[in-house]
Amino acid sequence: MTEAAELPPAPEQAREVFGDRFEDAVRYAELLAEAGVQRGLIGPREVPRLWERHLLNCAVLSEVVPEGVTVCDVGSGAGLPGIPLALVRDDIKITLLEPLLRRTNFLTEVVELLGLDHVTVVRGRAEEVMGKLPAVHVVTARAVAPLDRLAAWGIPLLRPYGEMLALKGDTAEEELKSAATALSKLGAVETSILHVGEGIVDPLSTVVRVEVGESPGGVRFAAKRAKAARTGRTRRRR
């Protein structure tokens, strides 16, 4: 049996980023390194770089999330970027959306243990919850799927004039170009690539921002949303 990798001490940048929630961030890192690995939510090789590559890389997304908004973290997995974002920002309400039961069980345990009252865990796929969950200002995602597919899942969950913030790597620019037609059909009106985490992470975290107009998801998803809303009203009357 391979010996479990050891979680390194938290870097000084973590104290700066997480502030009063630093101890909670340490506990979350420990949970990822222990239960997260045991349950197959992250690979054991990721443990030595949990802080730099995962927690801090995700936490700096907060630099581009507006104040007081609602957020849906699509395909949240082990809680990245949703949990680090929640630890940094208690002014926003976050839904962690994840289809797999073993992952939602883990997320629920983390949320309860860390006392994240502004975080809700929902089990389901994005295409299943559209119209059932309240539309949000911001959709976040990390390493879930290629941008065109991710946008098809995430953008329909947005309120009019909302935005999707996707953490991407070196392929961000290429993905954005390839997805241009799909994004336009989904109601995107502006796209950009942002680099965040100056002085915190090296390399900087790359974020693809997709801003939508008055019809998130385009015409096709407007019809789906309307149908889901009608179904919801019918069920409530019963």
Side-chain angles (χ1 to χ4, degrees):
M1 179 180 281
T2 305
E3 187 176 340
E6 188 175 340
L7 177 68
E12 279 304 310
Q13 293 94 323
R15 290 185 181 276
E16 177 186 342
V17 170
F18 292 105
D20 293 341
R21 285 283 197 170
F22 171 71
E23 294 300 333
D24 290 327
V26 171
R27 187 67 190 117
Y28 176 52
E30 292 170 348
L31 288 167
L32 287 175
E34 297 161 7
V37 172
Q38 291 164 7
R39 300 186 197 183
L41 304 184
I42 67 164
R45 292 183 180 179
E46 297 303 311
V47 173
R49 52 186 184 177
L50 266 178
W51 284 106
E52 288 81 2
R53 185 180 174 90
H54 299 286
L55 273 75
L56 290 173
N57 180 274
C58 291
V60 296
L61 182 62
S62 66
E63 294 178 16
V64 290
V65 175
E67 288 186 17
V69 297
T70 52
V71 177
C72 183
D73 188 31
V74 173
S76 196
L80 300 165
I83 297 292
L85 185 59
L87 288 170
V88 175
R89 297 284 299 277
D90 60 6
D91 62 300
I92 59 180
K93 293 187 181 299
I94 303 180
T95 298
L96 305 179
L97 181 62
E98 168 56 48
L100 295 184
L101 180 60
R102 62 189 170 90
R103 292 177 179 169
T104 53
N105 285 342
F106 175 79
L107 292 172
T108 300
E109 291 167 20
V110 171
V111 167
E112 291 177 356
L113 182 66
L114 302 184
L116 297 173
D117 299 333
H118 56 306
V119 178
T120 303
V121 178
V122 173
R123 185 184 176 199
R125 299 182 183 280
E127 57 269 35
E128 297 169 346
V129 302
M130 185 183 63
K132 299 176 184 177
L133 291 179
V136 296
H137 299 94
V138 177
V139 162
T140 59
R142 178 180 188 249
V144 174
L147 188 60
D148 55 348
R149 203 185 321 160
L150 175 60
W153 298 335
I155 287 180
L157 302 177
L158 289 170
R159 295 171 50 152
Y161 307 104
E163 60 185 339
M164 183 177 76
L165 299 171
L167 280 162
K168 287 287 183 179
D170 297 337
T171 62
E173 193 168 339
E174 181 181 328
E175 283 194 52
L176 192 52
K177 287 180 181 177
S178 299
T181 300
L183 292 175
S184 179
K185 289 180 180 178
L186 287 166
V189 294
E190 191 170 339
T191 61
S192 53
I193 295 177
L194 313 172
H195 299 284
V196 296
E198 183 72 44
I200 304 296
V201 290
D202 184 17
L204 299 179
S205 297
T206 301
V207 181
V208 174
R209 171 187 270 161
V210 179
E211 300 171 73
V212 299
E214 62 183 14
S215 299
V219 176
R220 184 162 65 97
F221 287 98
K224 281 189 176 183
R225 253 195 308 275
K227 181 180 179 181
R230 286 196 300 272
T231 303
R233 285 195 295 272
T234 301
R235 285 174 179 164
R236 284 194 292 274
R237 282 199 292 271
R238 289 175 185 170

